[in-house]
Amino acid sequence: MTTHPNAAGRRGSRWLTQVGWRHVVGVLAVAFSLFPILFVLSAALNPLGTLSSTQLLPTGASLENFGNLFARTEFGNWFLNSLLIAGGASFVSIFLSSLAAYAFSRMRFTGRRFGLLTLLLIQMFPQFLAIVAIFLIFTRVTDLWPSIGFNTPWGLLLLYMGGALGMNTWLMKGFFDTLPRELDESATMDGASHAQVFFRIMLPLVAPILAVTALLSFIGTINEFMIANVFLTDTGSKTLAVGMFGLVAGERNNNFGIFAAGTLLTAIPTVLVFQLLQRYIVSGLTAGAVKG
């Protein structure tokens, strides 16, 4: 049995118009997203380590840029500072935001509506508008309590925690609102306190939003530059964003290989956090919560 050439041509044309174009778009999207990664990887492995000599496909391979990154800079300290500040600020802000969201969602008290609107209005103003006020406040704090002042991770950690509470509280409140109140009522009738209801019942059910807000907080904190650049001036106390910017602020061409090597290492914490929280992010909201 032979296939008519016109029939085969029509099937090929139909496949191209219905399915084939999607493959083309997908390939173009993948190529577009992989281009900067390949270029940074090529620059990190470039033996010359300069921007002008970097090509999309590396002409040579060497780990010299990674060695120079640790030998000529304080990258190790920047890395540890960023992990400490981003991890600590994310954990504490998520914990405090979940407490506030639970109170706003489940309890009725004087000033509840005003408090929610205040949190929402504060988020309308960019955080960098408060840099001058923050600088003046911490100038005084540094004189009185140097351990939480300028050039300390603890002071910057406190600053990041306060900045993330508003948006995280609103995100979590919406999640708490979707949980049936019968869970609270049944647990209360069994003698559970508010703390037991919150920690044993509510938190496991809102694990997806906790994972999402934790990931967003971690990424936003570890990549934050403007406030950290004002707050941290000593070389050893800088974060990754501030320290890496200093590598290309003056001699971009000569230090580009070292900068690219640091960029690849900087992406490791974010990828690990995403992989750790992935199963919570993709899981259902409260699937099976009220069954059984």
Side-chain angles (χ1 to χ4, degrees):
M1 181 177 178
T2 60
T3 303
H4 196 276
N6 292 336
R10 284 194 298 269
R11 284 197 298 269
S13 178
R14 188 181 305 112
W15 179 88
L16 183 62
T17 56
Q18 296 180 358
V19 181
W21 68 271
R22 300 181 183 181
H23 290 273
V24 175
V25 173
V27 171
L28 292 177
V30 171
F32 181 79
S33 61
L34 290 180
F35 171 76
I37 300 177
L38 292 178
F39 186 79
V40 171
L41 180 61
S42 176
L45 298 177
N46 182 15
L48 299 179
T50 60
L51 177 60
S52 58
S53 62
T54 300
Q55 300 177 1
L56 182 61
L57 297 178
T59 56
S62 173
L63 299 179
E64 183 178 356
N65 290 322
F66 292 91
N68 292 333
L69 177 66
F70 288 93
R72 293 164 49 182
T73 68
E74 296 286 340
F75 183 82
N77 291 335
W78 302 342
F79 196 89
L80 293 178
N81 290 339
S82 294
L83 290 182
L84 173 64
I85 295 173
S90 300
F91 177 80
V92 177
S93 65
I94 294 303
F95 178 71
L96 296 179
S97 297
S98 61
L99 292 175
Y102 176 73
F104 281 122
S105 176
R106 288 300 198 258
M107 302 177 184
R108 297 297 181 266
F109 50 88
T110 304
R112 172 180 174 274
R113 181 177 177 82
F114 177 78
L116 286 172
L117 291 177
T118 301
L119 289 176
L120 182 61
L121 290 174
I122 291 176
Q123 304 307 310
M124 296 174 59
F125 300 94
Q127 193 174 15
F128 66 83
L129 293 179
I131 287 182
V132 175
I134 292 173
F135 182 83
L136 295 177
I137 292 174
F138 273 92
T139 299
R140 183 63 174 171
V141 170
T142 303
D143 295 335
L144 299 177
W145 302 286
S147 59
I148 57 173
F150 288 123
N151 295 311
T152 62
W154 309 111
L156 191 59
L157 189 148
L158 291 174
L159 184 59
Y160 285 152
M161 284 192 304
L165 288 178
M167 183 58 65
N168 292 341
T169 300
W170 264 98
L171 290 174
M172 293 184 186
K173 178 191 175 297
F175 223 77
F176 277 109
D177 289 341
T178 63
L179 299 180
R181 291 184 175 273
E182 287 79 4
L183 295 174
D184 305 49
E185 296 172 356
S186 61
T188 303
M189 292 180 63
D190 291 338
S193 62
H194 287 299
Q196 290 174 327
V197 171
F198 175 75
F199 286 105
R200 296 186 179 182
I201 299 177
M202 294 291 105
L203 281 188
L205 295 179
V206 298
I209 193 61
L210 293 179
V212 171
T213 51
L215 179 62
L216 294 177
S217 298
F218 184 85
I219 293 176
T221 304
I222 202 171
N223 292 330
E224 201 281 325
F225 169 76
M226 188 169 295
I227 294 179
N229 190 40
V230 175
F231 203 89
L232 306 174
T233 56
D234 290 346
T235 303
S237 64
K238 293 181 179 179
T239 59
L240 284 171
V242 180
M244 295 291 291
F245 174 77
L247 292 178
V248 295
E251 300 180 3
R252 179 176 303 178
N253 183 60
N254 295 334
N255 294 330
F256 189 76
I258 300 177
F259 175 82
T263 301
L264 294 177
L265 297 179
T266 302
I268 294 177
T270 303
V271 174
L272 291 179
V273 170
F274 179 81
Q275 293 296 326
L276 180 65
L277 301 178
Q278 185 178 14
R279 68 187 184 96
Y280 297 102
I281 295 175
V282 301
S283 62
L285 179 55
T286 55
V290 294
K291 296 180 181 179

